[in-house]
């Protein structure tokens, strides 16, 4: 071998990936393929010495659950954290599922189910003009840094406007932190129409897109590396208006700027002037409009749900009333599933995935929350009796079936990533075969502007949810709370599951479908959007009456 050949071989060795040991890869190949495929194994082992060896090994491991499912089960017992999501969970309520698949309802029941809510005596009372008077001379600039997902940040934006009003300060367009769960870095400008936001609030407070040059040093990075005199870290949860006047106003007067972080849930719901409460409502229901391309995508999905025969037509679809059309035609239900791994682990409940799933979720819970999940101190039965377990896709499907939704119901699934994948929602799909989501309704080209960005995808779901004939959530949370409040404000039908009753019924393994259906149907007739007046300490964003709504 001459010098040039030796040099090329040395360079190739340096570039070779440092993946699995080649002997280990060959063992995996023999374990999976067996002796009958010796030629393939030998070829595989030779390739392990090349640059492509690591790539082939990785591909083989990824294909294990698909091509050789028999191998996954023993591996799952040995390595539960790694393989728990490969094991398809079996239905937990087979008897109820069988009854639900044979369900029948009268036309009268279907008509009642789809009928819009009757007027309840309440109506929105937030005027479009100024609520609190024109802005006075600004005391300085207020910055807020908001964590959480789309709906938690939405509430924080409303609070930020109110705090700016309390302090007579100029609000800088809020900074949205990177979501630690979904790793989403979407900015305010990518989600909301900034010009609309500023214009709607121009008679209430001053809002600027960015700080003037003399304050350009006040950035998120600036506050992340040291203690700064202009950052307020001590704002208590549900702080009063007087707290801001006593603790933040002096900073504004001294420096001309104050940055509040963390800020989520940092303004009280009680003991505030009525005009400030109505200002928060004005922000939530008037000022926060999504950017045009999110609205356009959302409207396209709504039309495709209502008129499936014209699923991919961009033409304007005019609704045609036909007496022969069955009840529910042209209508759809939005289901916010909220069954991701983060939520499943935090709940500390058992979801039927066996020992492997329980161990995997317990490990994930410990890594993420380091023992700060109080639910883990209770048994699954205790948690279900208290209504503290989110409903699985199978269980929310059984509830919808018990309420009267039949197999022809068009169901829009609003969720990010379902823990357990398609296998987890198979029972739900059997009950509602016309179930859709963003990816089934729109092409990849149509989703390109929102794909991979959790907040933008959530904004599309928000739009489709607010337009739906019925909304239901599988468990309480920020999306549930925001949608309950917004749909209450618009007097739209919103089903609130009785989590405690459902938990108790699902624990009763001898319960027959007829009794299950009767109890849920009777209990939920009064849980479909009826106005509930806000009580002390409750959120104005979930219960907008009486702060945002008036009688008469």
């Amino acid at each position: 071998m001459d010098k040039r050949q030796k040099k090329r071989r040395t360079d190739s060795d340096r570039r070779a990936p440092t993946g699995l040991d080649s002997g280990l890869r060959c063992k995996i190949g023999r374990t999976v393929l067996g002796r009958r495929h010796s030629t393939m194994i030998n070829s595989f082992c030779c390739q392990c010495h090349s640059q492509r060896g690591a790539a082939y090994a990785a591909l083989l491991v990824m294909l294990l659950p698909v091509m050789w499912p028999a191998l996954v089960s023993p591996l799952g017992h040995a390595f539960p954290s790694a393989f728990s999501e490969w094991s398809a969970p079996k239905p937990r309520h087979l008897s109820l599922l069988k009854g639900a698949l044979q369900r029948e309802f009268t036309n009268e029941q279907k008509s009642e189910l789809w009928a819009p809510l009757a007027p309840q005596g309440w109506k929105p009372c937030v005027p479009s003009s100024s609520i609190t008077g024109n802005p006075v001379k600004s005391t300085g600039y207020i910055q807020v840094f908001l964590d959480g997902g789309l709906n938690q940040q939405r509430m924080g934006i409303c609070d930020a406007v109110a705090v700016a009003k309390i302090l007579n300060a100029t609000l800088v367009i809020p900074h949205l932190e990177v979501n630690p769960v979904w790793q989403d870095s979407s900015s305010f400008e990518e989600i909301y129409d900034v010009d609309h936001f500023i214009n709607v609030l121009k008679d209430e407070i001053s809002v600027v897109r960015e700080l003037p040059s003399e304050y350009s040093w006040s950035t998120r990075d600036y506050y992340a590396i040291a203690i700064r005199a202009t950052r307020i870290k001590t704002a208590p949860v549900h702080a009063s208006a007087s707290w801001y006047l006593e603790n933040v106003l002096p900073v504004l007067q001294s420096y001309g700027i104050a940055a509040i972080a963390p800020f989520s849930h940092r303004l009280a719901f009680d003991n505030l002037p009525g005009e400030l409460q109505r200002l928060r409502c004005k922000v939530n229901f008037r000022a926060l409009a999504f950017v045009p391309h999110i609205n356009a995508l959302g409207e396209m999905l709504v039309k495709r749900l209502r008129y499936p025969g014209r699923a991919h037509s961009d033409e304007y679809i005019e609704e045609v009333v036909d007496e022969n059309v069955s009840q529910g035609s042209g209508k759809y239900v939005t289901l916010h599933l909220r069954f991701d791994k983060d939520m499943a682990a935090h709940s500390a409940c058992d979801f039927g995935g066996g020992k492997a799933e329980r161990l995997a979720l317990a490990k994930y819970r410990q890594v993420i929350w380091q023992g700060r999940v109080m639910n883990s101190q209770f048994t699954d039965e205790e948690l279900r009796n208290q209504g503290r377990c989110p409903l699985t896709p199978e269980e929310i499907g059984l509830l919808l079936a018990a309420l009267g939704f039949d197999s022809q119901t068009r169901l829009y699934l609003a969720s990010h990533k379902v823990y357990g994948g398609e296998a987890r929602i198979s029972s739900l799909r059997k009950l509602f075969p016309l179930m859709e989501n963003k990816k089934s309704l729109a092409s990849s080209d149509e989703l390109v502007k929102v794909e991979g960005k959790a907040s933008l995808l959530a904004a599309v779901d928000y739009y489709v949810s607010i337009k739906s004939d019925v909304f239901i959530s599988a468990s309480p949370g920020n999306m549930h709370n925001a949608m309950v409040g917004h749909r209450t404000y618009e007097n739209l039908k919103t089903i609130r599951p009785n989590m405690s009753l459902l938990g108790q019924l699902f624990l009763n393994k001898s319960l027959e479908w007829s009794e299950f259906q009767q109890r849920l149907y009777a209990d939920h007739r009064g849980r479909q959007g009826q106005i509930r007046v806000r009580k002390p300490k409750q959120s104005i964003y979930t219960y907008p009456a009486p702060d945002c709504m008036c009688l008469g």
Side-chain angles (χ1 to χ4, degrees):
M1 185 181 296
D2 59 29
K3 293 182 179 180
R4 284 180 297 176
Q5 288 176 317
K6 287 182 179 180
K7 184 178 187 303
R8 281 196 296 269
R9 182 171 180 180
T10 303
D11 291 342
S12 176
D13 291 343
R14 286 175 184 154
R15 290 192 300 268
T18 56
L20 292 170
D21 175 77
S22 59
L24 178 58
R25 294 183 207 138
C26 295
K27 288 180 182 178
I28 293 175
R30 292 191 178 95
T31 300
V32 173
L33 300 175
R35 294 180 179 178
R36 289 181 297 174
H37 303 284
S38 58
T39 302
M40 188 182 299
I41 294 171
N42 292 334
S43 174
F44 176 75
C45 292
C46 290
Q47 289 169 344
C48 288
H49 294 291
S50 72
Q51 294 183 26
R52 294 176 296 174
Y56 282 122
L59 180 61
L60 180 64
V61 172
M62 290 173 63
L63 292 175
L64 284 177
V66 179
M67 300 177 67
W68 301 283
L71 181 65
V72 172
S73 181
L75 286 174
H77 290 298
F79 307 101
S81 297
F83 291 91
S84 67
E85 293 179 64
W86 286 357
S87 303
K90 297 179 181 179
R92 304 188 74 187
H93 313 287
L94 281 172
S95 176
L96 295 178
L97 185 60
K98 182 178 179 180
L101 289 169
Q102 300 171 350
R103 66 197 185 278
E104 293 183 2
F105 296 95
T106 65
N107 288 335
E108 182 180 356
Q109 288 174 313
K110 294 178 182 178
S111 178
E112 178 186 352
L113 187 68
W114 288 108
L117 283 175
Q120 301 182 63
W122 292 86
K123 61 181 182 180
C125 57
V126 176
S128 57
S129 59
S130 175
I131 296 171
T132 57
N134 294 329
V136 297
K137 183 179 179 182
S138 175
T139 55
Y141 293 93
I142 282 288
Q143 290 177 289
V144 294
F145 302 101
L146 301 173
D147 54 13
L150 176 79
N151 294 291
Q152 183 175 330
Q153 290 171 341
R154 185 185 184 99
M155 299 171 197
I157 294 166
C158 299
D159 288 350
V161 171
V163 167
K165 188 68 179 181
I166 291 168
L167 299 170
N168 290 325
T170 298
L171 178 67
V172 184
I173 289 294
H175 174 89
L176 308 185
E177 302 274 29
V178 175
N179 188 301
V181 176
W182 307 120
Q183 292 300 308
D184 181 30
S185 58
S186 300
S187 66
F188 186 104
E189 294 85 348
E190 290 178 280
I191 303 170
Y192 299 108
D193 186 329
V194 177
D195 290 334
H196 177 81
F197 182 79
I198 294 174
N199 186 58
V200 170
L201 298 174
K202 67 180 187 298
D203 294 330
E204 311 289 348
I205 65 167
S206 297
V207 182
V208 295
R209 290 174 176 268
E210 56 187 25
L211 288 166
S213 57
E214 61 264 37
Y215 295 108
S216 60
W217 48 264
S218 185
T219 64
R220 188 68 184 91
D221 292 339
Y222 172 76
Y223 295 107
I225 58 176
I227 297 173
R228 308 294 187 182
T230 52
R231 179 183 176 184
I232 290 88
K233 295 180 64 177
T234 56
V237 174
H238 299 156
S240 65
S242 60
W243 187 91
Y244 284 96
L245 292 171
E246 293 169 5
N247 295 276
V248 182
L249 184 58
V251 177
L252 283 173
Q253 292 170 335
S254 298
Y255 300 96
I257 188 170
I260 309 174
F263 185 72
S264 296
H265 310 299
R266 289 313 195 271
L267 183 61
F269 292 119
D270 302 320
N271 302 316
L272 288 177
E275 58 268 23
L276 275 177
Q277 299 286 61
R278 290 191 293 275
L279 177 57
R280 294 162 100 176
C281 303
K282 184 175 181 177
V283 181
N284 194 25
F285 303 126
R286 301 270 176 85
L288 286 175
F290 295 126
V291 293
H293 74 82
I294 288 179
N295 289 336
L297 177 57
E299 188 59 29
M300 181 183 71
L301 298 182
V302 169
K303 287 182 178 179
R304 291 177 181 177
L305 284 162
R306 294 199 186 283
Y307 310 100
R310 303 286 296 278
H312 292 282
S313 172
D314 292 329
E315 300 174 6
Y316 177 77
I317 303 172
E318 183 176 353
E319 184 174 0
V320 178
V321 178
D322 186 343
E323 293 180 359
N324 296 321
V325 175
S326 63
Q327 295 290 343
S329 178
K331 300 179 185 293
Y332 69 95
V333 178
T334 294
L335 166 61
H336 181 233
L337 197 50
R338 196 171 181 253
F339 200 80
D340 52 70
K341 186 173 184 178
D342 185 70
M343 179 284 308
H346 192 273
S347 71
C349 299
D350 181 7
F351 297 108
K355 182 179 179 181
E357 181 178 87
R358 288 194 298 273
L359 290 174
L361 291 179
K363 182 176 180 180
Y364 182 84
R365 183 164 57 246
Q366 184 61 34
V367 170
I368 300 298
W369 292 288
Q370 293 86 40
R372 298 193 302 272
V373 178
M374 300 303 294
N375 281 1
S376 58
Q377 300 176 9
F378 299 93
T379 66
D380 180 71
E381 183 174 347
E382 290 171 332
L383 292 172
R384 291 190 179 278
N385 274 316
Q386 297 168 19
R388 294 164 71 176
C389 288
L391 301 176
T392 65
E394 176 191 5
E395 290 168 345
I396 194 68
L398 290 170
L399 169 60
L400 285 169
L403 296 180
F405 294 102
D406 61 23
S407 61
Q408 297 305 303
T409 299
R410 296 192 69 78
L411 192 66
Y412 178 79
L413 198 61
S415 61
H416 188 62
K417 182 180 179 182
V418 178
Y419 178 60
E422 183 63 28
R424 180 73 72 175
I425 63 174
S426 60
S427 296
L428 178 63
R429 195 176 294 281
K430 287 179 183 177
L431 292 168
F432 299 98
L434 302 183
M435 185 168 65
E436 306 278 8
N437 58 26
K438 292 178 287 293
K439 291 189 176 181
S440 67
L441 288 169
S443 67
S444 56
D445 288 341
E446 290 168 328
L447 294 172
V448 69
K449 289 185 178 181
V450 299
E451 194 62 62
K453 296 205 169 186
S455 291
L456 300 187
L457 292 167
V460 174
D461 282 340
Y462 193 104
Y463 185 97
V464 177
S465 298
I466 204 66
K467 297 286 186 178
S468 64
D469 299 277
V470 182
F471 175 85
I472 186 170
S473 182
S475 66
N478 288 322
M479 175 68 165
H480 167 89
N481 294 338
M483 199 53 56
V484 165
H486 203 149
R487 291 178 66 89
T488 296
Y489 187 78
E490 303 284 353
N491 198 45
L492 300 172
K493 186 167 285 189
T494 309
I495 298 173
R496 295 180 297 105
N498 185 334
M499 304 297 287
S500 179
L501 174 62
L502 284 160
Q504 294 165 23
L505 293 180
F506 285 128
L507 284 171
N508 185 353
K509 299 303 180 182
S510 63
L511 191 65
E512 295 186 357
W513 169 252
S514 58
E515 183 181 354
F516 176 83
Q517 189 272 328
Q518 289 171 6
R519 292 190 64 179
L520 288 182
Y521 184 81
D523 180 81
H524 285 78
R525 295 190 71 179
R527 302 177 67 90
Q528 299 190 19
Q530 289 78 1
I531 294 284
R532 293 191 297 168
V533 175
R534 188 178 71 86
K535 298 177 181 178
K537 296 185 179 181
Q538 287 185 330
S539 170
I540 193 175
Y541 306 117
T542 309
Y543 305 99
D547 302 273
C548 311
M549 306 180 74
C550 303
L551 277 172

